[in-house]
Amino acid sequence: MEPPSATIRFGRLRQLFWLFFLLTIGYMIWVRNYLAPLSSDEIVQFEIAKTVDRAQAIIGDWKLTGKYEQGVKSTYLAYLFMVLYTLAIGLGCRFISICTGNEIMIKGGKGFSWLIVAATICDVAENIALSRTLRGPVSQWNVTLAYDLARVKFSIVIVCLLFMLACLLYWGIGELAGEKK
């Protein structure tokens, strides 16, 4: 039998996960509407521009189509998103891994919850490089830095989400098989 404090901690973890999961989804819906007509796909394309010519072409297109100011706003709003997705994914890795009842998955959940912090650190540095690219002369250093950090960030986020999916599948199959923890 689990000690009462473990049950309380699990309940609190579950509440926090769902809170930040829903806040993150709500933020994504709100920011999509707020930044319109700029789309999230266009923002990602800017993050992974890779070359000065490509970054300048994107900025030029945004200026011609009236999306430039929205692009600048998106770099400021990204900081709030970083906090939300870090908490949602970090708490999700811990919460869903605990649901499996598997000690290896639970330890993995702790590790992945810290790994998402590394993605956020990359995201912060990437966002600074993007802001400098939007506000000043476009330099290869900032474009390359944003590109490399975006790749690392997206890779870590995908790995963490896949871990959560693996935990969900493990838990779901266990439930279907009638396994007791």
Side-chain angles (χ1 to χ4, degrees):
M1 183 171 194
E2 280 186 53
S5 63
T7 304
I8 292 169
R9 281 195 314 264
F10 177 76
R12 185 72 175 146
L13 181 62
R14 180 181 56 226
Q15 289 174 340
L16 287 172
F17 164 68
W18 285 111
L19 171 67
F20 284 104
F21 174 77
L22 293 173
L23 284 172
T24 302
I25 298 299
Y27 172 86
M28 291 167 66
I29 293 167
W30 172 78
V31 85
R32 174 179 286 165
N33 293 319
Y34 181 74
L35 292 177
L38 185 66
S39 71
S40 56
D41 182 54
E42 291 172 301
I43 295 167
V44 171
Q45 290 304 312
F46 183 58
E47 289 177 330
I48 60 171
K50 194 175 185 178
T51 67
V52 169
D53 290 342
R54 181 74 181 122
Q56 287 173 329
I58 291 169
I59 293 168
D61 179 61
W62 287 1
K63 286 180 177 178
L64 285 174
T65 58
K67 297 177 183 179
Y68 177 78
E69 286 304 316
Q70 297 304 82
V72 172
K73 286 180 190 176
S74 76
T75 61
Y76 295 119
L77 293 171
Y79 292 105
L80 176 58
F81 184 60
M82 290 175 210
V83 170
L84 292 173
Y85 85 72
T86 301
L87 289 168
I89 294 173
L91 291 165
C93 286
R94 287 195 177 214
F95 167 64
I96 298 169
S97 68
I98 291 171
C99 290
T100 67
N102 180 295
E103 207 53 44
I104 293 171
M105 295 284 212
I106 293 168
K107 287 180 181 178
K110 289 178 184 177
F112 281 104
S113 70
W114 284 107
L115 186 59
I116 196 66
V117 173
T120 305
I121 292 168
C122 289
D123 206 359
V124 168
E126 170 202 337
N127 207 51
I128 292 168
L130 292 173
S131 294
R132 288 181 177 167
T133 301
L134 282 169
R135 293 273 184 203
V138 179
S139 74
Q140 188 62 53
W141 167 257
N142 283 328
V143 172
T144 300
L145 184 65
Y147 172 78
D148 290 342
L149 292 174
R151 288 180 56 183
V152 172
K153 171 194 69 178
F154 288 128
S155 297
I156 293 171
V157 168
I158 289 167
V159 166
C160 289
L161 293 174
L162 288 173
F163 173 77
M164 291 170 58
L165 179 62
C167 288
L168 276 172
L169 289 171
Y170 185 93
W171 172 78
I173 291 168
E175 289 294 308
L176 289 172
E179 293 178 4
K180 300 292 180 201
K181 295 179 196 165

